[in-house]
Amino acid sequence: MSLEIDFEPIGRRVICARGETILDAAQRAGIMLTSICGGAGTCGRCAIRLMSGQASPPNTTEELQLGSEEVAAGWRLACQTEIQGEVRVHIPPDSLVTAQRMQTEGQTLPIDLDPAVRAFNVYLTSPTLDDLRSDAKRLRDALDSSTLAFAAPVLRRLSNDLRAFDFHATVFIRGSSVVGVRPVLSRALGLAVDIGTTKLAAYLVDLSSGETLASAGAMNPQIAYGEDVMSRIGHAIIHPGGAEQLRSAIVETLNELARDLCTQINCQPEDIVDAVVVGNTAMHHLFLGLPVKQLGQAPYVAAESAALDLPVHDLGLEIAPGAFVHMLPNIAGFVGSDHVAMLLASGLPERQGVVLGMDIGTNTEISLVAQGRHLACSAASGPAFEGAHIKYGMRAAPGAIEGVVFRGEQVLIKTVEDMPPVGLCGSGILDLVAQMRRAGMINSRGALDGASGNPRIRIGAHGGEFVVVASTENDGTEITFSRSDANEIQLAKGAIRAGVNILLQHAGVTQGDINEVIIAGAFGTYLNVQSGIDIGMFPRVDRRRYRQVGNAAGVGARMALLSKAQRERAKDLARRVEYVELTAEEGFASKFARALPFE
Amino acid sequence: MSLEIDFEPIGRRVICARGETILDAAQRAGIMLTSICGGAGTCGRCAIRLMSGQASPPNTTEELQLGSEEVAAGWRLACQTEIQGEVRVHIPPDSLVTAQRMQTEGQTLPIDLDPAVRAFNVYLTSPTLDDLRSDAKRLRDALDSSTLAFAAPVLRRLSNDLRAFDFHATVFIRGSSVVGVRPVLSRALGLAVDIGTTKLAAYLVDLSSGETLASAGAMNPQIAYGEDVMSRIGHAIIHPGGAEQLRSAIVETLNELARDLCTQINCQPEDIVDAVVVGNTAMHHLFLGLPVKQLGQAPYVAAESAALDLPVHDLGLEIAPGAFVHMLPNIAGFVGSDHVAMLLASGLPERQGVVLGMDIGTNTEISLVAQGRHLACSAASGPAFEGAHIKYGMRAAPGAIEGVVFRGEQVLIKTVEDMPPVGLCGSGILDLVAQMRRAGMINSRGALDGASGNPRIRIGAHGGEFVVVASTENDGTEITFSRSDANEIQLAKGAIRAGVNILLQHAGVTQGDINEVIIAGAFGTYLNVQSGIDIGMFPRVDRRRYRQVGNAAGVGARMALLSKAQRERAKDLARRVEYVELTAEEGFASKFARALPFE
């Protein structure tokens, strides 16, 4: 039986089936509701308000994402709400995809296409005794370019390729260099890569349409040589051949990813004629084979901070033989090109008013635009939000508790893929601490109140601990959270907040002046912003001023792939950033100490 | 006891020792007599005329080089003539080194220095917490160049190099690219290489003075895979990995040569910041790893004919990490950049009148400048002059007969290093045929006159043969020359002469119009031009119009190394050449047949 759904304020009525989600109905009708998590309920971006009609009751996911008060006021997640009768729905502007907002995979990006590599179809005649021009000259003549240059790897294939394609070919050209020669009427593909310390994300993009054709992720294989940036730098310095191990590990994995992406859309790696790679400065250096010793010691100096265009064959990347990799600029030793890509994608540097941006990770890059200045720093937030140093901590793998909400004495949890709980990932830990603070179970220094009489608080081997999941609730597996875990979170929270405070101070503004906060990165996509505000990790600013932009680095990389103007914009904005080295800040230790307590 | 020697027309009197050669006395006094062979008596370039006084009597070498009539008129070779009393010597202009003439190793070249790579000394301050610029930016700022680019191999070493040199360095720059970073006050060296099918010649040049600091030669290691160009192309096509074998063999040998040259002058291969490589088109392609299949089949097309600048790390050359190899342009499939280098060095394209130039080898490249046009072709002269297909043929190794002159019934021979004769090399064969023709022992078709009654002519297993060296004259080793040998020489001679004739015809001139003939290459240095004229291999033009310019390709490569203007000149002149493909010439077979008979 079909029902009707009424979308306001846009005034669209859509036929839908009972049991269909509001998100599915909207997408089917071409209404661009934002959905970063693809309907998993984890991004909270498809918030709508149910004005009237019958739908499924709010679930735990919605309680976690929206908060109980909002749910009580009719706010719902479109992806979680199943239609059970005629409904009327209000879509707030924030939940609609617009050109100014981040967009998701598979969609085109809101920029003018202006790629660095162009395709030209040529129909050459074969050489004869009357026409003895060299193969390269034949091509130059056809393209009417006497200065057309060929790198050795291109020239080495040119004669055989031209003959294999019967002298009818698509020639890909970057500036005045031939990138590759393919069968006639081939399309131009580009590869965008975000090298994270933990994860890699790769995107295959059609350079002529701007469309993302395929994407893939993988673990950063360098993890085998060290979990964090500093341990990898150590490996590169201490072990003979260590830097080369790290370099070739990442390059091999990128080549595999490129092959996988090509298999997905039935093309060849040689069809990839351009690439953009972003990463933090250490990942950037290790990928390029640049020395990292000076990056690991004060004053932590990059070998190179400018944007680079490097031939793929110098890097070992197996795509079109004459392709270049464009590396976006780094800002400093610990604010890399991934942050520049995030800035590019979020539009942060061009926003009006006081705008804060954060890329939360083992190092948290923070940007503040205020008073016509752009300040940036890197906070050593550590790996606690990736689950490290937390007794039951883990990455956001199936069974990880990613959301926690207390309802009276009940502890509601949401796990990744709704599997039985096995540990706590970053967003779950953040929620847990916030809920415990709100319930008065933990003080500002992270001590658990053993005298609260709460049956979930007990004295364990290392002091007070909170039982998140009792063994009786979960086939014998217990999950607890202790003061020492809380203290790890304090270190992370304190580092981020101290960085924010110092930037605000440098800019001469206060948290009350902040107009907008942009949170980027994988963890930043899934965390509950309100929890971050509640514990004092984020500035106390209206939750609606926060914008979670997902993997903005990957989007920024794709924008640079599609547009030379965006590459120039990246250079420009990186140049304008004033880097603030926190460890060189006067009184840094006490500023950090003051940022440690939970609010 | 000291004697005095009087040089005219320059009017210099020089004290010399009894027994000293005129060449030694002249060189000691700074009189620049031309001496390509270094006093071995083989180049014939130090011809002088003894006007009066006592000296050693003319020897066989002089008879061979100068001819009996000239010797009778007082002409001598300065290198062979020992002073035995006060003498008066006339030096003809042709025997003096001038800026317009080819010059020898160790001397500067007559061009304006304008190298592609420049040295800059920089004295940087080290990074501090107050000065966190990346190493690359620090260098850019010091050189006041925001666009300075670093190739990956340079960037990979930059941070460590700068620290090793305490941030005081010499930076070598080509255009806007950093070629290398060396300790402060390092000098700029360049490498020039001529890749011959048989031999390699390499020169180490000071880019700031233009001086050739060291030179070295080696066999082309590709000989192991085939003696001539076609057999190497065959190897590259037929054997999997064959092309790569040929490429890496030559690259390894060049790296060894570069190391040897550096050892000679106590420097490092990293001090070599620029390189120019020339060779025939096949050597060019095999060195660069370009495909040669299309070069080995009609219509014999090069993959690339334009000048190239390729990063050394793409080629495997181990010099400064950011250096480029400049490859002079090729003209056609069988007229390569070595011929362009010869044109550059000899100045042939800019000469007045009708000028013919020849690089004699397995393929003989021929240029003709006439009536404002520049025509070139390649004649398949074959390896006979390298001793191949000749029963007692050999290369110009010790014991090879390099000169022959008949004095009545006597056969005077000159061997390499005056060792007992073991065979005939090219120049000896040429002399032999010319002397036999002059003595009427051989007819125009190469048949030996068995009825001449000459005791040195006999009937061997394969017809008539001439006994050059009887076993009784030479501890049992006999050296003979047969009609079939003479026919091989006819093929070579015919190919060259047909090429010359066709070019003359294309230009609408005759051999009588020729003003100058330039003979280049190793064989061209040592051959007796008169013998070449006598048998009709060379045009019948006054011997004094001939100029033997030695390894002009090596000189041209060095000129291009020292001057960007010379590189442009090479591009220009290569562009202006009209290539004539002999095999596409109407009636080529009959023109070739008409050129076969000895004159």
Side-chain angles (χ1 to χ4, degrees):
Chain A
M1 190 188 114
S2 77
L3 302 167
E4 216 173 47
I5 179 166
D6 184 358
F7 287 104
E8 294 185 350
I10 52 175
R12 283 282 295 282
R13 297 178 69 86
V14 177
I15 302 293
C16 60
R18 183 180 298 270
E20 193 175 13
T21 67
I22 293 176
L23 179 65
D24 286 343
Q27 288 182 335
R28 203 160 31 71
I31 298 167
M32 300 291 272
L33 275 175
T34 311
S35 171
I36 291 170
C37 65
T42 48
C43 75
R45 295 288 301 283
C46 64
I48 49 103
R49 203 161 170 192
L50 196 61
M51 307 303 285
S52 67
Q54 289 158 325
S56 57
N59 62 18
T60 313
T61 299
E62 295 177 270
E63 294 261 4
L64 292 171
Q65 285 293 337
L66 300 168
S68 304
E69 287 163 33
E70 281 77 8
V71 169
W75 286 94
R76 303 295 303 270
L77 293 182
C79 66
Q80 302 294 311
T81 308
E82 291 172 9
I83 299 154
Q84 295 182 336
E86 308 277 320
V87 292
R88 195 155 59 85
V89 162
H90 177 85
I91 304 173
D94 272 5
S95 295
L96 276 175
V97 172
T98 71
Q100 284 194 321
R101 298 183 64 95
M102 292 305 314
Q103 305 202 7
T104 55
E105 257 116 84
Q107 299 180 323
T108 54
L109 298 167
I111 53 166
D112 291 334
L113 292 179
D114 170 28
V117 175
R118 303 268 171 178
F120 296 85
N121 295 308
V122 294
Y123 300 84
L124 308 173
T125 54
S126 348
T128 63
L129 278 174
D130 292 327
D131 176 5
L132 290 164
R133 289 173 297 166
S134 70
D135 293 327
K137 177 151 175 44
R138 191 169 299 275
L139 205 50
R140 280 191 197 96
D141 289 350
L143 292 164
D144 202 15
S145 163
S146 64
T147 57
L148 200 63
F150 299 82
V154 179
L155 210 44
R156 284 175 183 150
R157 303 170 49 149
L158 179 67
S159 297
N160 298 345
D161 281 350
L162 284 180
R163 284 164 182 77
F165 309 148
D166 267 340
F167 285 92
H168 293 182
T170 299
V171 185
F172 294 99
I173 295 179
R174 178 183 174 282
S176 62
S177 290
V178 175
V179 166
V181 176
R182 303 290 296 152
V184 76
L185 300 178
S186 290
R187 63 180 168 173
L189 302 181
L191 179 71
V193 177
D194 175 19
I195 305 181
T197 309
T198 307
K199 284 190 171 175
L200 310 175
Y203 308 86
L204 200 55
V205 178
D206 185 321
L207 295 181
S208 56
S209 71
E211 196 184 347
T212 301
L213 302 173
S215 65
M219 291 300 281
N220 185 328
Q222 296 174 336
I223 279 183
Y225 306 99
E227 286 247 324
D228 57 34
V229 162
M230 273 303 170
S231 59
R232 293 204 203 146
I233 290 179
H235 181 84
I237 298 171
I238 295 161
H239 296 88
E244 177 54 22
Q245 271 178 328
L246 294 173
R247 194 195 68 78
S248 58
I250 193 85
V251 169
E252 274 169 36
T253 304
L254 290 185
N255 283 332
E256 278 166 33
L257 275 177
R259 282 194 295 273
D260 288 353
L261 289 171
C262 288
T263 305
Q264 284 182 40
I265 64 158
N266 198 22
C267 68
Q268 306 294 322
E270 292 80 35
D271 293 320
I272 303 176
V273 295
D274 200 8
V276 169
V277 175
V278 302
N280 62 52
T281 309
M283 293 306 112
H284 168 282
H285 278 37
L286 290 172
F287 166 61
L288 297 182
L290 305 187
V292 290
K293 193 176 173 191
Q294 81 292 340
L295 203 55
Q297 299 170 334
Y300 313 107
V301 184
E304 171 66 293
S305 48
L308 292 171
D309 290 289
L310 297 170
V312 288
H313 59 276
D314 285 355
L315 307 181
L317 225 49
E318 291 158 0
I319 60 175
F324 279 68
V325 175
H326 181 79
M327 305 292 297
L328 288 177
N330 297 315
I331 291 169
F334 287 95
V335 181
S337 57
D338 51 354
H339 190 62
V340 173
M342 176 280 221
L343 295 173
L344 211 58
S346 66
L348 188 150
E350 293 95 350
R351 308 289 282 183
Q352 296 300 313
V354 177
V355 185
L356 185 69
M358 284 179 265
D359 244 320
I360 302 169
T362 309
N363 281 286
T364 295
E365 296 90 11
I366 309 173
S367 265
L368 178 69
V369 170
Q371 320 273 35
R373 295 169 68 191
H374 184 160
L375 302 164
C377 69
S378 170
S381 41
F385 287 124
E386 283 164 19
H389 307 161
I390 304 290
K391 190 173 181 192
Y392 287 96
M394 65 181 292
R395 293 223 177 79
I401 297 172
E402 55 174 340
V404 177
V405 69
F406 291 0
R407 187 179 289 164
E409 298 214 337
Q410 249 190 308
V411 175
L412 305 180
I413 59 168
K414 165 84 179 72
T415 61
V416 175
E417 294 183 15
D418 294 319
M419 301 291 282
V422 289
L424 289 153
C425 71
S427 57
I429 296 169
L430 184 64
D431 279 357
L432 178 62
V433 175
Q435 296 285 318
M436 287 170 76
R437 272 298 281 161
R438 206 182 282 183
M441 293 176 191
I442 196 171
N443 70 10
S444 66
R445 295 182 311 281
L448 275 76
D449 185 359
S452 68
N454 188 311
R456 286 188 175 265
I457 296 184
R458 67 181 190 203
I459 303 301
H462 303 286
E465 61 186 24
F466 179 82
V467 181
V468 186
V469 177
S471 57
T472 53
E473 295 167 318
N474 186 37
D475 67 358
T477 309
E478 192 178 68
I479 298 171
T480 63
F481 189 79
S482 69
R483 176 173 187 163
S484 98
D485 295 333
N487 288 345
E488 289 290 338
I489 297 304
Q490 280 193 294
L491 291 175
K493 175 261 178 199
I496 293 171
R497 190 55 192 272
V500 169
N501 289 345
I502 289 169
L503 291 193
L504 288 170
Q505 193 189 341
H506 272 257
V509 294
T510 66
Q511 67 173 323
D513 298 323
I514 296 172
N515 298 104
E516 187 177 11
V517 184
I518 294 170
I519 310 284
F523 171 54
T525 306
Y526 298 109
L527 61 75
N528 185 327
V529 165
Q530 193 59 53
S531 296
I533 298 171
D534 286 349
I535 69 164
M537 180 165 86
F538 295 154
R540 199 159 290 281
V541 170
D542 187 338
R543 196 247 170 276
R544 281 166 297 188
R545 292 185 186 272
Y546 279 80
R547 198 146 65 85
Q548 285 165 279
V549 295
N551 180 11
V555 175
R558 277 176 284 166
M559 288 166 69
L561 188 58
L562 288 170
S563 161
K564 286 185 287 181
Q566 293 295 325
R567 297 182 188 186
E568 290 309 310
R569 192 181 142 222
K571 285 180 199 171
D572 241 40
L573 66 87
R575 229 187 325 260
R576 276 187 281 117
V577 171
E578 298 172 53
Y579 175 71
V580 176
E581 173 56 43
L582 295 182
T583 60
E585 180 75 12
E586 208 178 334
F588 175 68
S590 68
K591 285 173 186 173
F592 175 56
R594 277 202 299 278
L596 281 174
F598 293 127
E599 286 186 1
Chain B
M1 191 188 116
S2 76
L3 300 166
E4 216 172 48
I5 177 167
D6 184 359
F7 286 104
E8 292 184 351
I10 55 174
R12 283 282 295 281
R13 297 179 70 86
V14 176
I15 303 293
C16 60
R18 181 180 299 269
E20 193 175 16
T21 67
I22 293 176
L23 179 65
D24 286 342
Q27 286 181 335
R28 203 161 32 71
I31 297 167
M32 301 290 272
L33 276 175
T34 310
S35 170
I36 289 170
C37 66
T42 49
C43 74
R45 296 288 303 280
C46 62
I48 49 105
R49 202 161 171 194
L50 196 61
M51 307 303 286
S52 66
Q54 290 157 326
S56 57
N59 61 19
T60 314
T61 300
E62 294 177 90
E63 295 261 6
L64 292 171
Q65 284 294 337
L66 301 168
S68 305
E69 288 163 30
E70 281 75 8
V71 169
W75 286 93
R76 303 293 302 269
L77 292 181
C79 67
Q80 303 294 313
T81 311
E82 292 173 6
I83 301 155
Q84 295 181 337
E86 309 275 323
V87 293
R88 195 158 58 89
V89 162
H90 176 85
I91 306 174
D94 272 3
S95 296
L96 276 175
V97 172
T98 71
Q100 283 195 321
R101 297 182 66 93
M102 290 306 313
Q103 307 203 4
T104 54
E105 258 114 82
Q107 298 181 324
T108 54
L109 300 167
I111 53 165
D112 291 333
L113 292 180
D114 170 28
V117 176
R118 302 269 173 180
F120 296 87
N121 295 308
V122 294
Y123 300 84
L124 308 174
T125 54
S126 346
T128 63
L129 278 174
D130 293 326
D131 177 4
L132 290 164
R133 288 173 299 166
S134 71
D135 293 327
K137 175 148 176 49
R138 195 169 296 276
L139 205 50
R140 279 191 197 99
D141 288 350
L143 292 164
D144 204 15
S145 163
S146 63
T147 57
L148 200 62
F150 299 82
V154 179
L155 209 46
R156 284 174 182 149
R157 302 170 50 149
L158 179 67
S159 297
N160 298 344
D161 281 350
L162 284 180
R163 283 164 182 79
F165 308 149
D166 268 340
F167 285 92
H168 294 181
T170 299
V171 185
F172 294 99
I173 295 177
R174 176 182 176 284
S176 62
S177 290
V178 175
V179 166
V181 175
R182 301 292 296 156
V184 74
L185 301 177
S186 290
R187 63 178 169 174
L189 302 181
L191 180 72
V193 177
D194 175 19
I195 304 181
T197 309
T198 306
K199 284 190 171 177
L200 310 175
Y203 308 85
L204 199 56
V205 177
D206 185 322
L207 295 182
S208 56
S209 71
E211 196 183 348
T212 301
L213 302 173
S215 64
M219 291 301 280
N220 185 330
Q222 296 174 338
I223 278 183
Y225 306 98
E227 288 246 325
D228 59 32
V229 162
M230 273 302 173
S231 58
R232 295 205 203 146
I233 291 177
H235 181 85
I237 299 171
I238 294 161
H239 297 87
E244 176 54 23
Q245 272 177 329
L246 294 172
R247 194 195 68 80
S248 58
I250 193 86
V251 170
E252 274 169 36
T253 304
L254 289 185
N255 282 333
E256 277 166 34
L257 275 175
R259 282 193 295 273
D260 288 353
L261 289 170
C262 288
T263 305
Q264 285 182 39
I265 64 159
N266 197 23
C267 68
Q268 306 296 321
E270 290 81 34
D271 294 320
I272 303 175
V273 295
D274 202 8
V276 170
V277 174
V278 303
N280 62 51
T281 309
M283 294 304 113
H284 169 283
H285 277 37
L286 290 172
F287 165 61
L288 297 182
L290 304 188
V292 290
K293 192 176 173 189
Q294 79 294 339
L295 203 56
Q297 301 170 334
Y300 314 106
V301 183
E304 172 64 295
S305 49
L308 291 172
D309 290 290
L310 296 171
V312 287
H313 60 275
D314 284 356
L315 307 181
L317 224 50
E318 291 158 1
I319 60 174
F324 280 67
V325 175
H326 182 79
M327 305 292 298
L328 288 177
N330 296 315
I331 291 169
F334 287 95
V335 181
S337 58
D338 52 352
H339 190 63
V340 173
M342 174 280 215
L343 296 173
L344 210 58
S346 66
L348 188 149
E350 293 94 349
R351 307 291 282 183
Q352 296 299 314
V354 176
V355 186
L356 184 69
M358 285 178 265
D359 244 322
I360 302 170
T362 309
N363 280 286
T364 295
E365 295 90 11
I366 309 172
S367 266
L368 178 69
V369 170
Q371 319 272 40
R373 294 170 68 190
H374 183 160
L375 303 163
C377 69
S378 171
S381 40
F385 288 123
E386 284 163 20
H389 307 164
I390 303 290
K391 188 173 183 194
Y392 287 96
M394 64 181 292
R395 291 228 178 76
I401 297 172
E402 54 176 342
V404 178
V405 69
F406 291 180
R407 187 178 289 162
E409 300 217 337
Q410 249 190 308
V411 175
L412 305 180
I413 61 168
K414 164 83 180 75
T415 62
V416 174
E417 294 181 14
D418 294 320
M419 300 292 283
V422 290
L424 289 154
C425 70
S427 58
I429 296 169
L430 185 63
D431 280 357
L432 179 62
V433 175
Q435 296 285 319
M436 288 171 75
R437 270 299 282 160
R438 206 181 282 181
M441 294 177 191
I442 196 172
N443 71 11
S444 64
R445 295 182 311 282
L448 276 75
D449 185 1
S452 69
N454 187 310
R456 286 187 175 265
I457 297 183
R458 67 181 188 205
I459 303 301
H462 303 286
E465 60 187 23
F466 180 80
V467 180
V468 186
V469 177
S471 56
T472 52
E473 298 168 315
N474 186 36
D475 67 359
T477 309
E478 191 178 70
I479 297 170
T480 63
F481 188 81
S482 68
R483 175 173 187 165
S484 98
D485 296 332
N487 289 344
E488 289 290 337
I489 297 303
Q490 280 195 293
L491 291 175
K493 173 262 178 200
I496 292 171
R497 190 55 193 271
V500 170
N501 289 346
I502 289 169
L503 291 192
L504 289 170
Q505 193 189 337
H506 273 257
V509 295
T510 66
Q511 66 173 323
D513 298 322
I514 295 173
N515 298 102
E516 186 178 9
V517 183
I518 293 170
I519 311 283
F523 171 55
T525 307
Y526 299 108
L527 60 75
N528 186 326
V529 165
Q530 194 60 51
S531 296
I533 299 170
D534 284 351
I535 69 165
M537 178 165 86
F538 296 153
R540 198 159 291 281
V541 171
D542 186 337
R543 195 250 170 270
R544 283 167 298 188
R545 293 186 185 271
Y546 279 78
R547 195 146 68 84
Q548 286 165 279
V549 296
N551 180 10
V555 175
R558 277 177 284 167
M559 288 167 69
L561 188 57
L562 290 169
S563 161
K564 287 183 288 181
Q566 292 296 326
R567 295 182 189 187
E568 290 307 311
R569 192 181 142 222
K571 287 180 200 173
D572 242 40
L573 67 85
R575 227 186 330 257
R576 274 187 283 117
V577 171
E578 298 170 53
Y579 175 70
V580 177
E581 172 57 45
L582 295 182
T583 59
E585 180 75 13
E586 207 178 337
F588 173 69
S590 68
K591 286 173 185 171
F592 174 58
R594 278 201 299 278
L596 280 174
F598 294 127
E599 286 186 0

